[in-house]
Amino acid sequence: MEPDRSLRLCIPDRDFHPGDCTAEEILDAINNSWKTVIYLSETFLEDELCSFTLSSTVYASTNLMSNRLIIVYSDDIFDHPLPRILTQLLDRDNNFPLETFDDIEQWDQLCLMVLLDLQDRCPECPVL
């Protein structure tokens, strides 16, 4: 998404500094982001830091920016018990089922969800 759509992503393996507090870096990334996109996977559901990331993002999503969190998932996550907060979030309009990673139309739709409300808040920002 970065080069094709001029969006900057936070990728922990690339953007977090070794030796720094991971929780602080997660919070900084969330607080300095326009939107937070979380990809739900089996690994995500089992990882404590991922649970911290989800909780922190939900906390950062205020009434003023209720569209701040976007959840991307594949249907296989429903084979596992989900935390209550996830079942509540998946009932809202902020989720995006992604079955394959090579479908350009799906990436375009996700990009539009990320850019939703941007023109209202930043009229000089380019629309992709």
Side-chain angles (χ1 to χ4, degrees), residues 2 8 23 28 35 37 45 49-50 64 78-79 83-84 88 107 110 113 121 124 127-128:
E2 283 183 313
R8 175 87 165 103
D28 287 344
K35 300 274 179 131
V37 178
L45 295 172
L49 271 176
C50 292
L64 297 175
F78 297 112
D79 295 338
R84 184 172 20 175
Q88 292 170 346
W107 286 108
L110 179 58
M113 285 181 78
R121 296 183 186 277
E124 68 275 2
V127 176
L128 303 178

Coordinates of all heavy atoms in Angstrom, one line a residue, residues 2 8 23 28 35 37 45 49-50 64 78-79 83-84 88 107 110 113 121 124 127-128:
E2 N 2.1 1.2 0.5 CA 2.9 2.4 0.6 C 3.2 3.0 -0.7 O 2.8 4.1 -1.0 CB 4.1 2.1 1.4 CG 3.9 2.1 2.9 CD 5.1 1.9 3.7 OE1 5.9 1.0 3.4 OE2 5.3 2.6 4.7
R8 N 1.6 5.8 4.4 CA 2.7 5.3 5.2 C 2.2 4.3 6.2 O 1.2 4.6 6.9 CB 3.3 6.5 6.0 CG 4.4 6.2 7.0 CD 5.8 6.1 6.3 NE 6.8 6.0 7.3 CZ 7.4 4.9 7.6 NH1 7.1 3.8 7.1 NH2 8.3 4.9 8.6
A23 N 5.7 -1.5 23.9 CA 4.4 -0.9 24.3 C 4.3 0.6 24.0 O 3.4 1.1 23.4 CB 4.0 -1.2 25.7
D28 N 2.8 5.2 20.5 CA 3.2 6.3 19.6 C 2.7 6.2 18.2 O 2.2 7.1 17.6 CB 4.8 6.4 19.6 CG 5.4 7.0 20.9 OD1 4.6 7.6 21.7 OD2 6.6 6.9 21.1
K35 N -5.4 6.6 10.8 CA -6.2 5.4 11.0 C -5.3 4.3 11.5 O -4.1 4.3 11.2 CB -6.9 5.0 9.7 CG -7.8 6.0 9.0 CD -9.2 5.9 9.6 CE -10.1 7.0 9.0 NZ -11.3 6.5 8.5
V37 N -5.2 0.2 11.1 CA -5.7 -1.0 10.4 C -5.1 -2.2 11.1 O -3.8 -2.3 11.2 CB -5.4 -1.0 8.9 CG1 -5.9 -2.3 8.3 CG2 -5.9 0.2 8.2
L45 N -4.6 -13.2 17.5 CA -5.5 -13.5 18.7 C -4.8 -14.1 19.8 O -5.2 -14.1 21.0 CB -6.6 -14.4 18.2 CG -7.6 -13.8 17.2 CD1 -8.5 -14.8 16.6 CD2 -8.4 -12.6 17.8
L49 N 0.8 -8.7 23.0 CA 1.1 -7.4 22.5 C 0.0 -7.0 21.5 O -0.3 -5.8 21.4 CB 2.5 -7.3 21.9 CG 3.6 -6.9 22.8 CD1 4.9 -6.9 22.1 CD2 3.3 -5.6 23.5
C50 N -0.5 -7.9 20.7 CA -1.5 -7.6 19.8 C -2.8 -7.3 20.5 O -3.5 -6.4 20.1 CB -1.7 -8.8 18.8 SG -0.4 -9.1 17.7
L64 N -15.1 11.6 18.3 CA -14.7 12.5 17.3 C -14.1 11.8 16.1 O -14.2 12.3 15.0 CB -13.8 13.6 17.8 CG -14.3 14.5 18.9 CD1 -13.3 15.4 19.4 CD2 -15.5 15.3 18.4
F78 N -13.1 -16.9 12.8 CA -14.3 -17.3 13.4 C -14.3 -18.7 13.9 O -15.2 -19.2 14.6 CB -15.5 -17.0 12.5 CG -15.7 -15.5 12.2 CD1 -15.5 -15.0 11.0 CD2 -16.0 -14.6 13.2 CE1 -15.6 -13.7 10.7 CE2 -16.2 -13.3 13.0 CZ -16.0 -12.8 11.7
D79 N -13.3 -19.4 13.5 CA -13.1 -20.8 14.0 C -12.6 -20.8 15.5 O -12.5 -21.9 16.1 CB -12.1 -21.6 13.1 CG -12.6 -21.7 11.7 OD1 -13.8 -21.7 11.5 OD2 -11.8 -21.9 10.8
P83 N -12.4 -12.5 21.7 CA -12.7 -11.7 22.9 C -13.9 -10.9 22.6 O -14.3 -10.5 21.5 CB -11.4 -10.8 23.0 CG -10.4 -11.5 22.1 CD -11.1 -12.3 21.1
R84 N -14.6 -10.6 23.7 CA -15.9 -9.8 23.6 C -15.7 -8.5 22.9 O -16.6 -8.1 22.1 CB -16.5 -9.6 25.0 CG -17.9 -8.9 24.9 CD -18.6 -8.8 26.2 NE -17.7 -8.9 27.3 CZ -18.2 -8.8 28.6 NH1 -19.4 -8.5 28.8 NH2 -17.4 -8.9 29.6
Q88 N -17.9 -7.2 19.5 CA -18.6 -5.9 19.4 C -18.1 -5.1 18.2 O -18.8 -4.4 17.5 CB -18.4 -5.2 20.7 CG -19.1 -5.8 21.9 CD -18.8 -5.2 23.2 OE1 -17.8 -4.5 23.3 NE2 -19.5 -5.5 24.2
W107 N -7.9 -4.2 -2.2 CA -7.0 -3.2 -1.7 C -7.5 -1.8 -2.0 O -7.3 -0.9 -1.1 CB -5.6 -3.4 -2.3 CG -4.9 -4.6 -1.7 CD1 -4.7 -5.8 -2.3 CD2 -4.5 -4.8 -0.4 NE1 -4.1 -6.7 -1.5 CE2 -4.0 -6.1 -0.3 CE3 -4.4 -4.0 0.7 CZ2 -3.4 -6.6 0.9 CZ3 -3.9 -4.4 1.9 CH2 -3.4 -5.7 2.0
L110 N -10.1 -1.0 0.6 CA -9.5 -0.8 1.9 C -8.8 0.6 1.9 O -9.0 1.3 2.9 CB -8.4 -1.9 2.2 CG -7.7 -1.7 3.5 CD1 -8.6 -1.7 4.7 CD2 -6.7 -2.8 3.7
M113 N -11.4 3.1 2.6 CA -11.8 3.2 4.0 C -10.8 3.9 4.8 O -11.2 4.7 5.7 CB -12.0 1.7 4.5 CG -13.2 1.0 4.1 SD -13.3 -0.7 4.8 CE -13.8 -0.2 6.5
R121 N -11.3 16.7 7.0 CA -10.4 17.2 8.0 C -9.1 17.9 7.4 O -8.5 18.7 8.1 CB -9.9 16.1 8.9 CG -11.1 15.5 9.7 CD -10.6 14.4 10.6 NE -11.7 13.7 11.3 CZ -12.3 14.2 12.4 NH1 -11.9 15.3 12.9 NH2 -13.2 13.5 12.9
E124 N -6.6 20.2 1.9 CA -5.5 20.3 1.0 C -4.8 19.0 0.7 O -3.9 18.9 -0.1 CB -4.4 21.3 1.5 CG -3.7 20.9 2.8 CD -4.5 21.2 4.1 OE1 -5.6 21.7 4.0 OE2 -4.0 20.9 5.2
V127 N -6.5 13.4 -2.8 CA -7.3 12.2 -2.8 C -6.7 11.2 -3.8 O -6.5 11.6 -4.9 CB -8.8 12.5 -3.1 CG1 -9.6 11.2 -3.2 CG2 -9.3 13.4 -2.1
L128 N -6.5 10.0 -3.4 CA -5.9 9.0 -4.3 C -7.0 8.4 -5.2 O -8.1 8.2 -4.9 CB -5.2 7.9 -3.5 CG -4.2 8.4 -2.5 CD1 -3.6 7.2 -1.7 CD2 -3.1 9.1 -3.2

